[in-house]
C-alpha cells in the first residue's frame, strides 16, 4: 500500500500541526481560487495507472478525483473508494452542491465513513450498504492512555504549581485557534467562569489565526487564561487531562472528542457550532455537557459542574466506559477489512 498526500492549505496550514510519515509519498500539488473557493489538483502520476484501488478524500475540491472516476468507468481503471465525513459539516450547502456531492459519492466503488452518521448519508446517496465501511475515526488513544497512566503525583504537582492551577477549578482547551473553534466565545466564557468561581483557570493549547487573541487575554493582569502554545505529543496532552477537570470546546468538536474520552475528561460544548462527525461520540449528560445559550450560560454550566463533584465524576465514568469503542488499532482494522473487500471485488 502506498500512502500519498498533498499539503495543508488555509487555516489548516496556520495550525502548524502537520506530521511526517516515513515512506509516504508527497504529491505535487496546485492550488486554485475560483469564486472564493479553494480547489486542489494533486498529481498522482503512475499511481493512477498501476494501483488496483485508490482511496480518495470525499471532497469536491479535489479535482484529481473526477478524471479518475471517469477513467475507472470507461477504461477499467482502479477501483475508486471515497473516505470522508459523508454529509457536509463545516458549512451550509446549497441544494445544487448537495446534489453534486450525492452524485459524486454514489459513483464510488466503496465508501469509508468516519462514523455511523456518515454511513447513513452514503446509503441515502445511493452507495449499497454492503459497500460501506464505518471506520470510527480515532486518534492514537493507546499512546495517550499509556502516557496518562505514567504521570506521577510529583509531575502533577509541579505542573499545577507552574501554571497556578487550583485543584478542582481547572479547564483546558486544545485545538486550532481559528474561527471554527469560536475563540472569542471561549475567552469570554473563561473570564465569566472565573468571576463565578474564584481560582478558576483555563489552559489554552494550540495555534492558528486567532493566536494573538489568546496571547492578549493571557497577558492581562489577573487573567484566568494561560497560553501554552501548540501541544502535540501524548505526554503533554495527558498532563493537561490529568491536571484539569473539564475540556472547554464551544466551537467545532472533531477528534478532540476521542482525546477527551481517552483522558476521562468531560467536554463542555455547544450544539450549534460547525461540529465534525466525531461530535456523535459525545452524549449530553453521559460523557459531556452540551450547552445552549451564550457565553454567560456556558460559564454558568462550567462553574456548576466544577462545584458538583458527584455529577462530574458520573461524566468521567461515562467517558471511561465509552473510550473503549475508539482507538487507532480498531480503526485501522476496520479500514484494512474494507480494503481487502475492495481488492477482492476489483479482482
Amino acid at each position: 500500500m502506498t500512502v500519498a498526500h498533498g499539503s495543508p492549505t488555509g487555516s489548516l496550514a496556520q495550525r502548524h500541526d502537520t506530521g511526517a510519515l516515513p515512506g509516504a509519498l508527497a504529491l505535487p500539488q496546485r492550488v486554485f481560487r475560483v469564486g472564493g473557493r479553494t480547489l486542489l489538483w494533486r498529481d498522482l502520476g503512475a499511481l493512477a495507472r498501476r494501483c488496483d484501488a485508490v482511496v480518495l478524500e470525499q471532497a469536491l475540491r479535489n479535482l484529481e478525483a473526477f478524471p479518475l472516476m471517469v477513467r475507472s468507468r470507461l477504461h477499467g481503471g482502479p477501483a475508486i473508494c471515497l473516505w470522508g465525513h459523508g454529509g457536509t459539516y463545516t458549512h451550509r450547502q446549497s441544494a445544487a452542491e448537495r446534489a453534486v456531492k450525492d452524485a459524486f459519492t454514489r459513483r464510488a466503488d466503496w465508501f469509508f465513513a468516519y462514523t455511523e452518521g456518515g454511513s447513513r448519508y452514503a446509503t441515502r446517496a445511493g452507495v449499497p450498504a454492503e459497500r460501506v465501511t464505518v471506520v470510527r475515526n480515532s486518534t492514537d488513544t493507546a499512546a495517550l492512555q499509556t502516557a496518562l497512566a505514567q504521570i506521577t503525583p510529583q509531575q502533577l504537582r509541579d505542573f499545577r504549581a507552574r501554571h497556578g492551577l487550583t485543584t478542582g477549578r481547572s479547564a483546558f482547551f486544545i485545538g486550532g485557534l481559528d474561527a471554527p473553534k469560536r475563540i472569542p466565545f471561549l475567552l469570554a466564557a473563561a473570564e465569566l467562569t472565573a468571576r463565578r468561581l474564584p481560582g478558576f483557570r483555563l489552559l489554552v493549547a494550540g495555534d492558528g489565526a486567532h493566536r494573538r487573541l489568546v496571547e492578549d487575554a493571557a497577558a492581562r493582569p489577573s487573567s484566568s487564561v494561560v497560553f501554552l502554545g501548540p501541544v502535540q505529543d501524548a505526554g503533554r496532552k495527558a498532563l493537561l487531562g490529568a491536571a484539569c477537570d473539564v475540556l472547554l470546546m464551544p466551537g467545532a468538536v472533531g477528534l478532540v472528542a476521542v482525546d477527551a474520552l481517552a483522558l476521562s475528561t468531560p467536554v463542555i460544548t455547544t450544539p450549534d457550532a460547525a461540529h465534525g462527525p466525531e461530535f456523535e461520540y459525545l452524549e449530553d449528560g453521559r460523557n459531556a455537557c452540551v450547552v445552549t445559550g451564550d457565553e454567560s450560560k456556558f460559564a454558568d454550566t462550567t462553574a456548576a459542574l466544577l462545584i458538583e463533584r458527584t455529577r462530574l465524576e458520573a461524566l468521567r465514568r461515562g467517558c471511561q466506559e465509552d473510550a473503549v469503542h475508539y482507538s487507532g488499532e480498531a480503526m485501522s482494522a476496520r479500514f484494512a477489512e474494507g480494503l481487502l473487500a475492495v481488492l477482492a471485488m476489483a479482482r
Side-chain angles (χ1 to χ4, degrees), residues 64 84 103 122 175 196 208 240 258 263 265 271 314 321:
E64 69 274 3
R196 291 157 170 74
L240 283 172
V258 180
L263 292 170
T265 306
E321 292 168 4

Side-chain angles (χ1 to χ4, degrees), residues 155-240:
Q155 285 178 307
L156 201 51
R157 286 192 293 269
D158 291 345
F159 184 83
R160 285 175 170 151
R162 184 160 62 251
H163 298 299
L165 303 183
T166 300
T167 302
R169 300 197 173 190
S170 306
F172 77 101
F173 165 96
I174 185 167
L177 304 181
D178 43 37
K181 298 297 185 181
R182 303 175 77 178
I183 301 304
F185 185 115
L186 173 73
L187 298 175
E191 182 178 343
L192 292 170
T193 304
R195 292 179 189 173
R196 291 157 170 74
L197 191 65
F200 171 80
R201 286 215 145 185
L202 171 68
L203 304 184
V204 178
D207 201 356
H210 288 177
R211 173 175 178 147
R212 184 61 181 271
L213 296 178
V214 181
E215 290 176 327
D216 289 346
R220 288 196 292 267
S222 304
S223 174
S224 62
V225 175
V226 178
F227 180 53
L228 302 179
V231 172
Q232 297 175 19
D233 65 276
R236 294 185 69 199
K237 283 185 181 181
L239 259 177
L240 283 172

Side-chain angles (χ1 to χ4, degrees), residues 259-270:
D259 288 343
L261 295 177
L263 292 170
S264 301
T265 306
V267 176
I268 303 178
T269 185
T270 61

Side-chain angles (χ1 to χ4, degrees), residues 115-147:
T115 62
E116 280 76 6
S119 173
R120 290 191 292 271
Y121 164 85
T123 54
R124 284 197 302 268
V127 181
E130 64 272 17
R131 295 189 180 185
V132 177
T133 297
V134 178
V135 298
R136 287 190 176 176
N137 199 38
S138 178
T139 55
D140 185 0
T141 57
L144 193 57
Q145 290 172 329
T146 297

Side-chain angles (χ1 to χ4, degrees), residues 53 55 81 109-112 130-135 331-345:
V55 182
C81 311
D109 296 299
W110 205 274
F111 191 82
F112 291 94
E130 64 272 17
R131 295 189 180 185
V132 177
T133 297
V134 178
V135 298
M331 177 186 174
S332 299
R334 294 186 186 97
F335 182 47
E337 182 179 0
L339 281 179
L340 291 173
V342 171
L343 294 174
M345 180 186 69

